[in-house]
Amino acid sequence: MPSHDDVLSDITSQIQNESDSTRAMAAVVATLKRRMPDYSWVGIYILDGNELVLGPFEGKPSPHTRIPVGRGICGAAAAEKATIIVDDVNADPRYLACSVDTLSEIVVPIMACSGVLGEIDIDSDRLAAFGAPDRKLLESVAALLAGRMGGQRR
Ligand code: SME
């Protein structure tokens, strides 16, 4: 298992070296999927009006390409402007299924001063795969991405 700090340091360089926000998001998704064995599906949703629209992702195609704020675990994290960790998705009535193999999920909002810009969504095929080190890593990545996306807000 790679150290979360090593992965954060690689992602920090990737974001610093990529001025285009879409390419930065795709690079982050690819690195998280490749380096973190428990991260089975990694994607970034971008807020468009009152909907989260699926951007770069790695893993099986998801049926949930547009999620209204307030729906699903993704929509709840955007509404609450806070990270949500679900240890057992099948026990959470908010959960919108993407794959039958998914057992746990973490959703981390990407936030600027103006509010939510999007979010990082990660599924795992292991129960309770996400803990404090994952939250710390992904909240740091979200803050870096917010800096990259901020200049391109409408
Ligand atoms: N599980 C999410 C939907 C997105 S898929 O996992 C990619 C949710 O409950 O909002």
Side-chain angles (χ1 to χ4, degrees):
M1 177 74 113
S3 108
H4 289 71
D5 286 343
D6 289 349
V7 174
L8 178 58
S9 126
D10 287 357
I11 287 177
T12 302
S13 318
Q14 280 180 317
I15 294 177
Q16 278 166 354
N17 293 327
E18 183 52 80
S19 58
D20 178 78
S21 71
T22 306
R23 283 204 298 265
M25 286 189 271
V28 165
V29 164
T31 300
L32 289 172
K33 178 74 168 67
R34 192 179 71 248
R35 299 284 299 278
M36 304 302 284
D38 279 338
Y39 293 13
S40 320
W41 190 96
V42 179
I44 294 181
Y45 284 87
I46 298 140
L47 190 68
D48 178 15
N50 202 38
E51 277 190 327
L52 294 156
V53 180
L54 183 58
F57 73 94
E58 295 216 0
K60 290 183 210 161
S62 169
H64 303 293
T65 54
R66 298 187 80 92
I67 302 175
V69 170
R71 276 206 72 216
I73 295 162
C74 286
E80 292 169 20
K81 299 181 172 56
T83 296
I84 297 181
I85 293 176
V86 178
D87 288 342
D88 178 0
V89 291
N90 293 307
D92 192 320
R94 299 171 298 183
Y95 176 62
L96 301 171
C98 173
S99 158
V100 288
D101 297 325
T102 297
L103 295 179
S104 59
E105 179 163 7
I106 183 169
V107 184
V108 178
I110 300 168
M111 288 192 291
C113 304
S114 56
V116 174
L117 303 178
E119 57 191 31
I120 302 169
D121 177 22
I122 301 180
D123 292 345
S124 179
D125 297 349
R126 197 164 71 76
L127 274 176
F130 305 104
D134 301 285
R135 173 194 288 265
K136 185 164 166 268
L137 165 66
L138 297 169
E139 289 182 350
S140 302
V141 172
L144 291 165
L145 279 175
R148 221 359 121 248
M149 293 162 76
Q152 296 182 11
R153 276 199 314 273
R154 281 168 296 156

